[in-house]
Amino acid sequence: MKFTCQKQELAGALSIVSKALSSKPQMPILSGIYLRAENGQLELEATDFELGIIIAIDAEITQPGQMTLPGRYFQEVIRKLPGDTVSIDEDSEAKSVRIQSAAANYTLRTMNASEYPVIHRLEGDLHFTIKDNVLRSLVKKTVFACSNDESRPIFTGVYMDIDQNTVTMAATNTHRLAVKKETFDAPIGAMKLIIPAKVLNELLHILTSEIPSDVEVTCSLNQVSFAFENIYMTSRLIEGAFPNYRNVIPQNLTVKVEAATSEISAAMDRVSLISRANDYNVVKLDFHDEQLHISSSNPDIGQAEETLPVAIEGDAIQIAFNATYLVDVLKALDGESCVISLHQPLSPITITEPDDPDFIYVVTPVRTAH
Amino acid sequence: MKFTCQKQELAGALSIVSKALSSKPQMPILSGIYLRAENGQLELEATDFELGIIIAIDAEITQPGQMTLPGRYFQEVIRKLPGDTVSIDEDSEAKSVRIQSAAANYTLRTMNASEYPVIHRLEGDLHFTIKDNVLRSLVKKTVFACSNDESRPIFTGVYMDIDQNTVTMAATNTHRLAVKKETFDAPIGAMKLIIPAKVLNELLHILTSEIPSDVEVTCSLNQVSFAFENIYMTSRLIEGAFPNYRNVIPQNLTVKVEAATSEISAAMDRVSLISRANDYNVVKLDFHDEQLHISSSNPDIGQAEETLPVAIEGDAIQIAFNATYLVDVLKALDGESCVISLHQPLSPITITEPDDPDFIYVVTPVRTAH
């Protein structure tokens, strides 16, 4: 295997593919990055058996082939290289590869490429195409609500309900729920899957190209893949049945409050500075007379309070929440204003956006001493 | 105590003074920042008993006084505040202080100000004034050579030898030595002290104003202080006698090599990527035929090598070093080229700069298997 390519392009590809390198690989070979050079393309692969990434870049290939290199070292070496082009030349007898750019020469030992669990492109039962910004919005407005608790795996993933003309994503940690729906012009089939939050967070990081692009989504019974530009991502699915979350969306809420999202988000962030040191991270919200008064206190540190103007329809109400559950959703919103709908101090509330009728967030309040 | 000041100015002052807050304070009161408001000035103080910092900013004082606030919370609250001006109003009966800016209100519990070990400005035996850039160069070119080993305290500090028209700073970890001298127009007295490296590193961070300024240095038997602009830093000294480092500076070196500092620094950084995983982090240097060949190897990972043009006076020589001891000094140099002077593969070498005759670095090579 022998090829030459642009250093910056290779370094960029490695920074993406290495997101699938586990820090504690299940097998030694998974610490490697698999390379395949053929037909003017260099493909790089990495997987931790949950997430797999393939990325292809242009290369001038003198001798096609496959090999596996120690992932972290390969990435660091390429990142540090001087010069614009890098040439890579395998010595299969010596089980090593020579990496050369300007005056710098590295020799890295290769790993056994035949042991590498090469990623197979998914031939799924269901395919659809979605705009990158639409997919980003589906993920961004739900994934933060997942749980980190590995003892209940289904809550560590986002539920994706594909139902002909709609795709709905939902995530919950049982104390809060985020649901976002998108409508398609043509029916795309029906399927239900749970995708690991970790994979969707990596997708959000990678899916940031400034040029709008199409993402091809392919789903099977136990896998999903996302293909866009020169990148292919595949993920195992989480097994299990997602609970019927629609039941927990409260109806007939009697108080409606409209607030400026950026103002309430910044105020909540400041007030929670004091509550963060508490066990339950509690902030109190007091809605009355067209004002929202947010406060928190900690006997050892002090108190924080802030008042902002809001539009209230309904009675005055006092209610308390885990601050994280409010701060997180407010950061995920993208419209100018949000609507908080409430009923009673111990009933779940919803947060919605006038600009996005297809999003809803539900959070359960906490009981406070007074 | 009651005052109003500019939020940005207070936040900037807190980011400097908090460098003297210990993460594990010896006494609870040392987790606090002491404030004194009088004569249109707000003074902020913090100390961990080794390093003490006082910084003064303008404030509109309605009621002068002193108080102590929990350091980390005070810093975070001020940093997060909205608005341009902050007003601070102590309620001494409630043992709390109200911090207000725009719509945000915080109440922080105060600490007992009378317990605070207020920093006394040093009335030393020796004073001198030095330009900030001259002091910065003295520190930057020596402090990196200190040891981290707390079991031999004198090597965790930089030796400062004030001798009439010269100030010499020297630091060693017994394997390497860095010495830098500055000459003054008028005699400034004589004194020898050892200043903790940690304090000098903080001084380097703080001493970065873009406007050239004078630093007033005051020395006593067990303390040193640096005063510049609105900042006063004081440090305890390390007790003990610094060894006579002049003995270890090798004379009669027979090989002289001149190299471009940025080239050799970048090459060394790249080659040491492979050696870093080794116990002794060894890089080999091979000087011959107007070339420097730098290499390192690790049986598990591979090899790195790089060749650069240099000017050699004397015989060809092969020698090996702990890579860190070369990488560190090359980063501290500021001239275009450096001179490496050698004698034999197991004799100490020196690194100097043609542009700075008052700097010398000595490092002992390591023995290698072949």
Side-chain angles (χ1 to χ4, degrees):
Chain A
M1 183 172 178
K2 189 172 175 181
F3 65 88
T4 305
C5 67
Q6 293 300 307
K7 193 202 78 173
Q8 284 305 341
E9 222 177 322
L10 181 56
L14 283 167
S15 82
I16 291 174
V17 82
S18 65
K19 291 184 191 300
L21 285 178
S22 165
S23 53
K24 291 176 186 167
Q26 286 183 44
M27 293 157 51
I29 192 74
L30 294 186
S31 68
I33 290 175
Y34 177 84
L35 286 82
R36 180 192 293 119
E38 58 186 19
N39 304 328
Q41 290 267 299
L42 172 70
E43 269 194 0
L44 300 138
E45 293 192 21
T47 180
D48 62 3
F49 283 149
E50 176 170 89
L51 168 64
I53 301 179
I54 306 177
I55 184 163
I57 61 170
D58 291 332
E60 200 176 297
I61 297 163
T62 320
Q63 199 183 315
Q66 297 94 42
M67 66 177 172
T68 303
L69 291 177
R72 297 285 171 210
Y73 275 99
F74 184 43
Q75 191 188 359
E76 271 208 74
V77 162
I78 299 298
R79 199 171 51 83
K80 287 213 169 193
L81 282 180
D84 295 329
T85 44
V86 51
S87 73
I88 295 193
D89 187 0
E90 187 190 11
D91 180 344
S92 48
E93 270 188 41
K95 290 187 179 167
S96 71
V97 66
R98 191 173 174 88
I99 301 171
Q100 200 267 324
S101 181
N105 274 291
Y106 285 91
T107 308
L108 286 185
R109 287 184 62 89
T110 54
M111 302 171 85
N112 191 345
S114 66
E115 277 180 22
Y116 197 84
V118 175
I119 299 169
H120 297 288
R121 296 205 183 224
L122 188 57
E123 313 231 346
D125 309 313
L126 188 149
H127 310 263
F128 64 95
T129 302
I130 187 169
K131 293 278 171 209
D132 60 343
N133 58 333
V134 173
L135 178 59
R136 203 157 48 221
S137 171
L138 275 169
V139 174
K140 190 184 159 214
K141 285 185 155 176
T142 51
V143 69
F144 68 89
C146 286
S147 164
N148 295 317
D149 179 0
E150 296 290 340
S151 70
R152 298 172 77 185
I154 54 166
F155 298 124
T156 65
V158 178
Y159 179 60
M160 190 183 215
D161 182 357
I162 304 159
D163 187 11
Q164 303 309 339
N165 287 58
T166 63
V167 170
T168 308
M169 288 183 91
T172 181
N173 70 353
T174 74
H175 304 293
R176 61 171 170 187
L177 166 74
V179 181
K180 165 81 181 147
K181 188 174 76 175
E182 281 297 335
T183 306
F184 289 72
D185 293 337
I188 53 173
M191 210 159 170
K192 298 176 197 310
L193 31 154
I194 305 173
I195 307 170
K198 191 196 127 194
V199 170
L200 292 172
N201 279 317
E202 295 298 357
L203 181 67
L204 273 190
H205 284 133
I206 299 173
L207 208 59
T208 50
S209 71
E210 285 170 17
I211 311 146
S213 65
D214 282 336
V215 182
E216 299 289 329
V217 184
T218 302
C219 312
S220 77
L221 263 182
N222 51 16
Q223 262 187 293
V224 62
S225 73
F226 304 93
F228 49 99
E229 296 169 8
N230 57 338
I231 298 169
Y232 180 85
M233 276 181 79
T234 177
S235 170
R236 71 162 181 83
L237 299 177
I238 297 174
E239 284 177 38
F242 203 78
N244 184 358
Y245 62 85
R246 288 178 211 276
N247 290 341
V248 308
I249 299 175
Q251 309 295 327
N252 309 319
L253 298 171
T254 51
V255 185
K256 288 210 186 312
V257 180
E258 184 159 353
T261 303
S262 60
E263 270 182 39
I264 189 174
S265 179
M268 201 69 75
D269 195 42
R270 287 191 289 267
V271 171
S272 67
L273 181 58
I274 299 298
S275 58
R276 252 188 272 148
N278 285 356
D279 286 350
Y280 300 103
N281 193 5
V282 173
V283 288
K284 291 183 191 170
L285 277 59
D286 188 347
F287 298 90
H288 66 93
D289 298 324
E290 302 297 276
Q291 288 195 325
L292 164 58
H293 180 254
I294 310 172
S295 63
S296 72
S297 69
N298 183 311
D300 298 330
I301 303 158
Q303 291 136 43
E305 52 179 355
E306 196 143 343
T307 302
L308 50 158
V310 293
I312 303 179
E313 269 177 49
D315 295 337
I317 179 170
Q318 289 185 24
I319 191 165
F321 293 95
N322 177 322
T324 308
Y325 296 166
L326 297 179
V327 167
D328 287 353
V329 65
L330 290 167
K331 284 187 180 151
L333 299 185
D334 38 27
E336 270 188 31
S337 66
C338 61
V339 173
I340 305 173
S341 304
L342 314 94
H343 183 52
Q344 285 178 331
L346 295 177
S347 315
I349 68 160
T350 64
I351 298 180
T352 53
E353 287 193 287
D355 297 345
D356 182 359
D358 292 325
F359 170 77
I360 191 163
Y361 183 74
V362 181
V363 56
T364 308
V366 294
R367 195 184 289 269
T368 56
H370 43 105
Chain B
M1 183 170 178
K2 188 173 175 180
F3 65 89
T4 305
C5 67
Q6 293 300 307
K7 193 203 77 173
Q8 284 305 340
E9 224 178 320
L10 180 56
L14 282 168
S15 81
I16 292 174
V17 82
S18 65
K19 291 183 192 300
L21 286 179
S22 164
S23 53
K24 290 176 187 168
Q26 287 182 43
M27 293 157 48
I29 192 75
L30 293 186
S31 68
I33 291 176
Y34 177 84
L35 287 82
R36 181 192 292 118
E38 58 187 18
N39 305 328
Q41 291 266 298
L42 172 69
E43 269 194 2
L44 300 138
E45 291 192 24
T47 180
D48 61 4
F49 282 148
E50 176 170 90
L51 167 64
I53 301 179
I54 306 177
I55 183 161
I57 60 169
D58 290 334
E60 201 175 296
I61 297 163
T62 319
Q63 198 184 315
Q66 296 94 42
M67 65 177 172
T68 303
L69 291 177
R72 297 287 169 207
Y73 276 98
F74 184 42
Q75 190 189 357
E76 271 207 73
V77 162
I78 298 298
R79 198 171 52 82
K80 288 213 169 192
L81 282 180
D84 295 330
T85 42
V86 50
S87 74
I88 295 191
D89 187 0
E90 187 192 9
D91 180 342
S92 48
E93 271 188 38
K95 292 188 179 165
S96 70
V97 66
R98 190 174 175 88
I99 301 171
Q100 200 267 324
S101 181
N105 274 290
Y106 286 92
T107 309
L108 286 185
R109 289 185 62 88
T110 54
M111 303 169 84
N112 191 345
S114 65
E115 278 179 22
Y116 197 85
V118 176
I119 299 168
H120 296 288
R121 295 202 184 229
L122 187 59
E123 312 233 345
D125 308 315
L126 188 149
H127 310 262
F128 64 95
T129 302
I130 186 169
K131 292 278 172 210
D132 60 343
N133 59 332
V134 174
L135 178 60
R136 203 158 46 220
S137 171
L138 275 168
V139 174
K140 190 184 160 213
K141 285 184 154 177
T142 51
V143 69
F144 68 88
C146 288
S147 164
N148 294 319
D149 179 2
E150 296 290 341
S151 70
R152 300 172 78 185
I154 55 167
F155 298 124
T156 65
V158 178
Y159 179 61
M160 189 183 216
D161 182 357
I162 304 159
D163 187 10
Q164 302 309 340
N165 288 59
T166 63
V167 170
T168 308
M169 288 183 92
T172 181
N173 69 353
T174 74
H175 304 293
R176 60 171 171 188
L177 166 76
V179 182
K180 165 81 182 147
K181 189 174 76 174
E182 280 297 334
T183 306
F184 287 72
D185 294 337
I188 54 174
M191 209 158 172
K192 298 176 197 312
L193 32 154
I194 305 173
I195 307 171
K198 190 197 126 193
V199 170
L200 291 172
N201 279 319
E202 295 297 357
L203 180 67
L204 273 190
H205 284 132
I206 299 173
L207 208 59
T208 50
S209 72
E210 284 169 17
I211 310 146
S213 66
D214 283 336
V215 182
E216 300 289 329
V217 184
T218 303
C219 311
S220 78
L221 263 182
N222 51 15
Q223 262 186 292
V224 62
S225 73
F226 303 93
F228 49 100
E229 297 169 6
N230 57 338
I231 299 169
Y232 180 85
M233 276 182 78
T234 177
S235 171
R236 71 162 182 83
L237 299 176
I238 296 173
E239 286 177 37
F242 202 78
N244 183 356
Y245 62 86
R246 288 178 213 277
N247 290 341
V248 309
I249 298 174
Q251 308 295 326
N252 308 320
L253 298 171
T254 52
V255 185
K256 286 210 187 312
V257 180
E258 184 157 354
T261 303
S262 60
E263 271 183 38
I264 189 174
S265 179
M268 201 68 76
D269 195 41
R270 285 191 289 266
V271 171
S272 67
L273 179 59
I274 298 297
S275 59
R276 251 188 273 149
N278 285 357
D279 286 351
Y280 299 104
N281 193 5
V282 174
V283 288
K284 290 183 191 173
L285 277 59
D286 187 348
F287 298 91
H288 67 93
D289 297 325
E290 303 297 276
Q291 287 196 325
L292 165 58
H293 180 253
I294 310 172
S295 63
S296 72
S297 68
N298 183 311
D300 297 330
I301 303 158
Q303 291 138 44
E305 53 178 357
E306 196 143 344
T307 303
L308 49 157
V310 293
I312 304 179
E313 270 178 47
D315 295 338
I317 180 170
Q318 288 185 23
I319 191 165
F321 293 95
N322 177 322
T324 308
Y325 297 167
L326 297 179
V327 168
D328 286 354
V329 65
L330 290 167
K331 283 187 180 152
L333 299 184
D334 38 27
E336 271 189 28
S337 66
C338 61
V339 173
I340 305 172
S341 303
L342 313 94
H343 184 51
Q344 284 178 332
L346 296 178
S347 314
I349 67 160
T350 64
I351 298 179
T352 54
E353 286 193 288
D355 296 345
D356 182 358
D358 292 326
F359 170 76
I360 191 162
Y361 182 74
V362 181
V363 56
T364 307
V366 293
R367 194 185 290 269
T368 56
H370 41 105

